[in-house]
Amino acid sequence: MTELTQQEQASMDDASQQYLTFIMANEEYGVDILSVQEIRGWEATTVIPNSPSHVKGVINLRGTIVPIIDLRQRFGIESLDYGATTVVIVVKVAMNDEHKVIGIVVDAVSDVFSVNDADVRDAPDFGDDTNLGFIKGLTNAEDKMVILLDINMLLGSEVLPEASQLSNLINNIDAQQPQAVNA
C-alpha cells in the first residue's frame, strides 16, 4: 500500500463534499452541508393566506422571516402528522443574485456523509416531461441509495418540480435498484 502525498490527499479532499442526509417516506435525501444554516424541531408557523398547501407558513428566526416548506407534501408523498423526529432544516438558498433563508420540513435527520464526486451518478433520464434539474445525482452511502438534491435549483427557482414527477422518479429509482440476495 502506498502513502498519498499531501498534494494527492488535498486533491482527493477537493473532490468530495459533505452532505446532510434526511429521511422522507423511507427514502434518504442529501443536501450540501454548506447550505444548511441550522436544524430545528418542528414548531407552529404563522399561516400565510392563499399559499400553496406545501407552504406551511413562516417563522420568525432571530428577526428573519423564514418560509417553511413541507417537502413531503411538495413531492407528492403522503402527509404524516408531525412527531418528535420531525425537523425543520433551515437552508440558505441563492435566488436572483441574493440569498434567502428557507426552512424545509422533513421526517428526520439521518447523518452527515462525505461523498466523492466520482461516486455520484446522474439521475436516470425519464424524458423531456420530467424536470430533474434539482437532483445533483445519486450515490450509495452505507449500503443505501441517497438522492442528492441541489437546494438552489429546488428552492431557488420560481419553478418547483411537479409533485407527480418526483413521486414517479422515486418509484422508478426504487424499481431500478438491485435487490439484495440473502446468501
Side-chain angles (χ1 to χ4, degrees):
M1 193 177 257
T2 62
E3 287 189 37
L4 297 176
T5 67
Q6 285 182 329
Q7 186 176 9
E8 289 170 329
Q9 185 62 46
S11 219
M12 285 180 62
D13 292 343
D14 289 343
S16 70
Q17 281 185 281
Q18 286 193 315
Y19 289 88
L20 174 70
T21 61
F22 57 89
I23 307 292
M24 284 192 318
N26 298 321
E27 298 293 338
E28 194 152 356
Y29 299 84
V31 293
D32 186 340
I33 196 136
L34 296 177
S35 67
V36 176
Q37 188 169 316
E38 68 181 89
I39 300 168
R40 304 171 56 88
W42 169 253
E43 63 185 75
T45 62
T46 301
V47 177
I48 304 297
N50 296 323
S51 61
S53 63
H54 62 276
V55 177
K56 303 318 293 174
V58 296
I59 62 171
N60 184 336
L61 183 61
R62 296 179 294 282
T64 301
I65 303 302
V66 178
I68 305 298
I69 296 173
D70 187 324
L71 278 190
R72 189 179 253 278
Q73 286 184 331
R74 185 62 190 113
F75 286 171
I77 301 170
E78 181 182 343
S79 294
L80 292 179
D81 291 334
Y82 298 151
T85 61
T86 304
V87 295
V88 176
I89 301 172
V90 179
V91 294
K92 194 174 281 192
V93 179
M95 286 181 138
N96 303 325
D97 298 328
E98 61 179 303
H99 285 82
K100 301 280 186 186
V101 178
I102 298 175
I104 54 175
V105 180
V106 300
D107 295 354
V109 169
S110 180
D111 210 339
V112 175
F113 291 109
S114 287
V115 177
N116 288 325
D117 293 344
D119 294 334
V120 176
R121 303 289 175 247
D122 291 337
D125 183 9
F126 293 108
D128 292 338
D129 293 343
T130 305
N131 176 10
L132 301 179
F134 62 94
I135 296 180
K136 279 186 179 179
L138 307 169
T139 191
N140 286 321
E142 295 183 0
D143 298 327
K144 53 191 162 195
M145 179 74 66
V146 178
I147 302 169
L148 302 176
L149 301 175
D150 182 332
I151 204 73
N152 291 320
M153 292 293 290
L154 178 64
L155 301 175
S157 66
E158 306 244 342
V159 180
L160 290 174
E162 290 300 317
S164 60
Q165 290 177 342
L166 191 62
S167 294
N168 289 338
L169 170 68
I170 291 168
N171 292 335
N172 287 331
I173 289 171
D174 284 342
Q176 291 178 2
Q177 286 186 27
Q179 300 299 316
V181 178
N182 293 333

